[in-house]
Amino acid sequence: MKLLVYTLRLRLHLHLRELSRQAATWENLGSRSSQSPGEKCWASVQAVETRSNLLSRPCITARIMRPDDANVAGNVHGGTILKMIEEAGAIISTRHCNSQNGERCVAALARVERTDFLSPMCIGEVAHVSAEITYTSKHSVEVQVNVMSENILTGTKKLTNKATLWYVPLSLKNVDKVLEVPPVVYSRQEQEEEGRKRYEAQKLERMETKWRNGDIVQPVPNPEPNTVSYSQSSLIHLVGPSDCTLHGFVHGGVTMKLMDEVAGIVAARHCKTNIVTASVDAINFHDKIRKGCVITISGRMTFTSNKSMEIEVLVDADPVVDNSQKRYRAASAFFTYVSLSQEGKSLPVPQLVPETEDEKKRFEEGKGRYLQMKAKRQGQAEPQP
């Protein structure tokens, strides 16, 4: 009890000291009224720069994982973690895009790069989500997000997730208008060059993906086990106010959670065991989803290795109350799942049996992505000379 009282007093003392420091800073700024116009201008530039730097600092959120966050295996649902990642990214990118005087905006999620689930998170642990801006182009923001889990009984922390997200600023007056992004200051020129390369690569892949995902998952009567049709699944969801931002568009995190749920159903149907999300290979958001739309989230198996499954997930939006707009593709992604025993150990996966030419083509494409990522992991694991 004494320790708790001492801790609270210490925190109060530090908080009061910080308030005093801020008050002194504002007093100093106010005392500059006697400065020359040139000095006033320089002071104004410094104040704006200080605010911009403050808003570009990492955004850190935290919350304890509750029983309603669990999946069937008892760990935290992958969709819940994806939603927390998106929320942190939206906060820091929206702050940055409004860091200068101008038209106010909200940052909308455009793409999530490959997201790895490095370690499971347990119920009762605290999730610490840290987001940091790593690059800005004229109309987009790249955000790097790390997720740490903390056992509050022992104080042990571990890295559970890493993700890279891309946002675009949309005007509050007209959500179809994309605004310009305030630039960030890089500590090294190489950081800007590397960020520009990542930007160009994701832009090209996003355009290719948008045109490639034109087909729709259709049900097949009496499918055979281990085929694509046997495990493919769909979820229909009416977009309500609780799914949306203040401006009537679906949160990207809500969409990602629904996509992860459908991918999990496909994986479970295929292998009939406990399954967990291993990674997400680039979620592309092709168009905004408005409140009142009916969305169909469809998932199908595309590739299996010895111990992993790749599931393609497509999101189609149907604006049922707007006859002027037709059904459209809103998002797409590839999820990778692994099969687990009751003891949490990795199990072999039943091999997928592609039947049609399209299924065989998607299988080979999935195999290529698997081998590419496997080679990348092996390269990172090798010791550097």
Side-chain angles (χ1 to χ4, degrees):
M1 186 65 183
K2 290 182 179 180
L3 179 60
L4 177 61
V5 173
Y6 173 77
T7 303
L8 292 175
R9 285 180 177 175
L10 180 60
R11 288 183 178 179
L12 179 61
H13 172 72
L14 294 175
H15 181 63
L16 291 174
R17 189 169 68 176
E18 177 65 16
L19 290 177
S20 299
R21 186 189 65 80
Q22 292 178 3
T25 301
W26 286 111
E27 184 177 350
N28 290 336
L29 288 175
S31 66
R32 294 177 180 171
S33 57
S34 60
Q35 294 173 329
S36 66
E39 290 173 328
K40 288 181 180 179
C41 180
W42 174 242
S44 176
V45 170
Q46 286 181 316
V48 171
E49 186 175 311
T50 300
R51 182 169 182 260
S52 179
N53 290 339
L54 175 64
L55 294 174
S56 297
R57 291 176 182 173
C59 169
I60 301 176
T61 62
R63 78 173 178 88
I64 193 168
M65 297 292 98
R66 303 181 301 269
D68 56 342
D69 295 317
N71 55 22
V72 178
N75 298 319
V76 177
H77 197 292
T80 299
I81 298 175
L82 289 172
K83 187 176 180 181
M84 291 190 297
I85 288 174
E86 195 279 328
E87 288 174 350
I91 290 172
I92 193 171
S93 53
T94 299
R95 279 178 179 170
H96 177 76
C97 292
N98 289 280
S99 61
Q100 296 182 0
N101 294 330
E103 191 172 347
R104 294 306 174 193
C105 62
V106 60
L109 182 63
R111 175 181 167 89
V112 181
E113 299 287 356
R114 180 180 174 88
T115 304
D116 290 310
F117 289 73
L118 307 174
S119 179
M121 188 180 299
C122 302
I123 302 304
E125 293 184 332
V126 175
H128 298 269
V129 186
S130 174
E132 182 177 9
I133 293 175
T134 50
Y135 177 76
T136 58
S137 67
K138 185 177 181 179
H139 296 292
S140 63
V141 182
E142 182 191 51
V143 180
Q144 178 69 45
V145 181
N146 292 330
V147 183
M148 301 282 294
S149 65
E150 177 193 6
N151 185 321
I152 55 178
L153 299 180
T154 64
T156 303
K157 291 184 178 181
K158 60 182 177 181
L159 181 66
T160 61
N161 300 84
K162 296 177 66 176
T164 303
L165 304 91
W166 291 89
Y167 289 84
V168 293
L170 304 180
S171 169
L172 293 181
K173 297 179 181 179
N174 178 11
V175 293
D176 292 323
K177 178 183 178 182
V178 179
L179 303 180
E180 292 190 9
V181 176
V184 294
V185 179
Y186 303 95
S187 59
R188 295 181 295 106
Q189 184 179 357
E190 292 79 4
Q191 289 180 321
E192 183 175 8
E193 295 174 353
E194 293 168 358
R196 187 181 295 111
K197 291 179 181 178
R198 294 193 300 270
Y199 167 74
E200 295 296 339
Q202 67 84 27
K203 184 178 179 180
L204 179 62
E205 183 178 344
R206 189 164 176 263
M207 293 178 63
E208 292 176 349
T209 304
K210 183 175 182 178
W211 296 113
R212 189 171 66 242
N213 289 334
D215 54 345
I216 299 175
V217 178
Q218 298 287 359
V220 175
N222 303 318
E224 294 293 328
N226 299 336
T227 61
V228 175
S229 302
Y230 184 82
S231 59
Q232 69 181 27
S233 305
S234 296
L235 173 67
I236 299 176
H237 179 76
L238 174 64
V239 176
S242 62
D243 300 320
C244 299
T245 66
L246 296 175
H247 311 94
F249 296 96
V250 176
H251 282 287
V254 172
T255 306
M256 289 195 292
K257 186 174 182 181
L258 291 171
M259 295 172 78
D260 184 68
E261 289 179 357
V262 171
I265 293 172
V266 173
R269 281 181 168 173
H270 180 77
C271 59
K272 307 294 185 182
T273 62
N274 288 333
I275 46 86
V276 292
T277 313
S279 65
V280 184
D281 187 7
I283 302 178
N284 290 290
F285 292 83
H286 308 299
D287 207 341
K288 298 182 292 295
I289 303 175
R290 292 172 170 80
K291 181 174 63 178
C293 284
V294 174
I295 56 176
T296 303
I297 306 97
S298 305
R300 62 188 173 196
M301 191 81 62
T302 53
F303 171 75
T304 55
S305 66
N306 291 333
K307 292 188 176 181
S308 66
M309 301 163 278
E310 182 189 72
I311 298 104
E312 182 181 28
V313 181
L314 308 173
V315 180
D316 296 306
D318 188 5
V320 291
V321 295
D322 184 6
N323 294 327
S324 64
Q325 190 174 9
K326 297 181 180 180
R327 180 187 177 112
Y328 61 93
R329 176 64 41 81
S332 60
F334 290 99
F335 287 72
T336 300
Y337 274 75
V338 294
S339 175
L340 298 179
S341 66
Q342 295 293 336
E343 295 76 24
K345 295 182 179 181
S346 179
L347 293 175
V349 171
Q351 292 304 290
L352 181 66
V353 181
E355 297 177 303
T356 68
E357 291 300 319
D358 286 339
E359 290 174 358
K360 293 176 182 178
K361 180 181 178 180
R362 286 194 291 268
F363 186 92
E364 291 302 319
E365 292 174 346
K367 184 178 180 180
R369 286 187 291 270
Y370 167 77
L371 294 175
Q372 182 179 11
M373 186 51 56
K374 185 177 180 180
K376 184 177 179 180
R377 285 198 303 266
Q378 291 175 345
Q380 292 174 346
E382 292 178 358
Q384 298 296 324

